[in-house]
Amino acid sequence: MDFGIKGKKALVCASSKGLGRGCAEALAGEGVNLILNARGDEALQATAQHIRVTYGVEVTAVAADITTEEGQAKVLEVAGEVDILVTNAGGPPPGMWTDWDREDFIKALDANMLTPIALIKALVPGMMERGWGRVVNITSQSVRAPIGVLGLSNAARTGLTGYVAGTSRQVADKGVTINNLLPGIHDTDRAVSLDTGVSNKEGISFEEARKKREASIPVRRYGTQEEFGATCAFLCSVHAGFIVGQNLLHDGGGTNITM
Ligand code: NAP
């Protein structure tokens, strides 16, 4: 299937590794030119070069913390107008509900709610004027089924979900779709950090912690960033124009709900 997006330009945030990188590579595979972003320049440049060489698309790398106003301004200035926006940033740390104070919540809200909203507000008006655009926000399965130890993530991402639910329906008539893609457990650095947390908390080995979490997923394995990226690229394709304001789980069936 031709996704119909060859030659378009995408900003993919937090994309030197993991799920963001998976989305960037899948879009590059469809001939989309990219603006990549991460804080660490070394891994970012290496990913950018790999994508240029492998897919033959234009790639611009902007090292910046996307969760800060300065970082957003730097990325937006380089990006200019884009057709596709994939929002992403690192997730908040796990903990107990009693652990977090106001500052922790502000930090989580900045990273996982207010940053995507700021980027949407900056880039969607141009998409509407040009009559076509795609936004995919990488959120989490935790917005459908909250995960106890991820209270900061549950709170911030659910706020973004509410914003997208209303906003997506206000821009859809201009050819712009906004959807959320909800990862379950994927084999990235984030999974390593969460497995380490389980291992420490339960006094079991890292391998046992991973096996335990794999067993909780109906497909009995973690997802890959390639699978996640392919789903993102489809949501960004010309074929996905009737998919609006959805929260698509990509979790191997791990979230035990009907809708
Ligand atoms: P990851 O493997 O840790 O990758 C994070 C990527 O984001 C790296 O390229 C990192 O580069 C970049 N990054 C992190 N914070 C950034 C910031 N403030 N500004 C710019 N770039 C930043 O994470 P992942 O597993 O792909 O997860 C992506 C998102 O999905 C996270 O929000 C995570 O909580 C969520 N999620 C993941 C899973 C999972 O199983 N993997 C499940 C549910 C939800 P630098 O460090 O150099 O900035």
Side-chain angles (χ1 to χ4, degrees):
M1 185 190 279
D2 178 359
F3 279 12
I5 50 178
K6 189 172 173 20
K8 293 204 181 285
K9 184 163 83 166
L11 166 58
V12 186
C13 302
S15 51
S16 65
K17 297 181 194 166
L19 303 181
R21 177 173 176 157
C23 296
E25 289 213 44
L27 288 168
E30 296 302 318
V32 174
N33 298 314
L34 298 173
I35 316 296
L36 300 186
N37 153 257
R39 292 163 303 180
D41 197 42
E42 199 178 328
L44 180 64
Q45 296 300 341
T47 298
Q49 186 56 13
H50 170 82
I51 293 178
R52 277 184 208 108
V53 170
T54 309
Y55 304 99
V57 296
E58 289 169 26
V59 184
T60 307
V62 190
D65 183 341
I66 199 66
T67 68
T68 65
E69 282 184 17
E70 308 76 62
Q72 289 157 24
K74 190 174 168 191
V75 170
L76 287 169
E77 192 184 346
V78 175
E81 311 237 301
V82 305
D83 309 296
I84 295 168
L85 166 66
V86 179
T87 74
N88 186 30
M96 281 293 291
W97 62 276
T98 45
D99 290 345
W100 306 304
D101 58 24
R102 184 171 193 280
E103 281 314 305
D104 297 311
F105 279 100
I106 297 294
K107 210 169 161 197
L109 291 171
D110 267 341
N112 301 112
M113 178 185 169
L114 299 175
T115 293
I117 290 174
L119 295 170
I120 286 168
K121 284 179 66 184
L123 294 171
V124 165
M127 295 178 190
M128 293 169 77
E129 261 172 48
R130 295 188 298 280
W132 196 92
R134 298 283 184 265
V135 179
V136 175
N137 303 297
I138 301 179
T139 65
S140 172
Q141 63 183 358
S142 68
V143 301
R144 302 290 294 278
I147 299 167
V149 294
L150 293 179
L152 291 173
S153 171
N154 298 337
R157 296 188 199 277
T158 306
L160 175 64
T161 305
Y163 175 84
V164 166
T167 304
S168 59
R169 288 161 173 97
Q170 293 175 296
V171 304
D173 67 334
K174 299 289 187 293
V176 179
T177 69
I178 311 180
N179 292 287
N180 302 320
L181 188 49
L182 284 51
I185 305 173
H186 287 70
D187 200 0
T188 69
D189 290 354
R190 171 77 169 171
V192 172
S193 116
L194 293 178
D195 287 345
T196 305
V198 171
S199 154
N200 293 339
K201 186 165 173 249
E202 300 187 12
I204 55 178
S205 71
F206 178 83
E207 289 70 28
E208 284 171 314
R210 177 164 177 148
K211 277 208 185 96
K212 194 174 168 188
R213 292 214 303 152
E214 280 178 336
S216 71
I217 306 169
V219 299
R220 304 284 182 255
R221 64 170 175 85
Y222 288 180
T224 69
Q225 64 194 51
E226 289 78 14
E227 291 169 312
F228 189 86
T231 306
C232 175
F234 177 74
L235 286 176
C236 297
S237 75
V238 293
H239 308 295
F242 211 56
I243 302 176
V244 169
Q246 296 304 299
N247 291 286
L248 180 60
L249 277 164
H250 191 269
D251 69 343
T255 310
N256 198 15
I257 55 175
T258 53
M259 285 189 284

